[in-house]
Amino acid sequence: MEFLFELLFQFFGELLLQFLVEVGFEQGLRWLGRVLRWVPTPPIAAAWVTLGGVAAGGFSLLVMPHSAIHDPALRLVNLLGTPVLSGAAMTLIGRLRVRKGQSLVRLDRFGYAFLFAFTMALMRYNWAA
C-alpha cells in the first residue's frame, strides 16, 4: 500500500508541475495575444509552443533538478502519460472558456497542449537526475 501511495504521489507531483507551468504559459499567450493582436499560423504556433515547452522544461530543471520518479521504466511511462493528461486538462479548460464566451488560445486545444507538455517532459526525462 505504501508503494502505491508513493507511486501516485510521484506521478501527481510531475503532473502538477507540468500543468501549473502550462497554465502559466497559457496565461502568457493570452496576454501576448491581447497586446500584439497577432494570430500565428498553425506551423508557427506549433514551433512557438515547442520552444515554450523546451524553455519551461529547462526552467523547471533549475527549480526542481531531480525527478520525483526514480525508476527508469516509470519515468518513461511518465514521459508518455503525463502530457496526455495535461493536454486533456487544458482541453477541459478550453471548453470552460468557450462556455463563458472567452476567446481561446492554441494551448486550449489538445494537440498544442500535448506538444507543450511533451517537450517539457522530454527535457525533464533527459536531464533531471
Side-chain angles (χ1 to χ4, degrees):
M1 185 67 167
E2 183 177 315
F3 172 74
L4 182 63
F5 178 73
E6 182 179 342
L7 184 67
L8 288 175
F9 180 73
Q10 291 171 354
F11 277 111
F12 183 71
E14 287 287 331
L15 178 64
L16 185 63
L17 174 69
Q18 282 190 8
F19 180 71
L20 290 176
V21 169
E22 194 162 10
V23 166
F25 191 76
E26 187 248 359
Q27 290 300 319
L29 286 179
R30 188 170 297 285
W31 174 81
L32 194 61
R34 281 194 304 265
V35 170
L36 297 179
R37 299 187 192 277
W38 173 63
V39 179
T41 62
I44 292 173
W48 278 106
V49 166
T50 301
L51 289 174
V54 169
F59 180 73
S60 74
L61 289 169
L62 293 174
V63 174
M64 197 171 130
H66 300 287
S67 176
I69 302 170
H70 303 293
D71 184 13
L74 293 177
R75 289 185 68 202
L76 187 60
V77 169
N78 180 60
L79 173 65
L80 301 174
T82 302
V84 170
L85 294 174
S86 186
M90 291 302 292
T91 302
L92 291 175
I93 289 175
R95 287 183 183 171
L96 289 174
R97 290 190 188 284
V98 167
R99 286 186 190 155
K100 291 182 178 182
Q102 297 175 350
S103 63
L104 297 179
V105 295
R106 305 261 184 191
L107 225 52
D108 291 326
R109 294 170 180 88
F110 179 79
Y112 292 99
F114 174 82
L115 183 61
F116 180 89
F118 180 74
T119 54
M120 181 178 170
L122 188 60
M123 289 288 291
R124 292 196 53 77
Y125 177 79
N126 284 329
W127 287 290

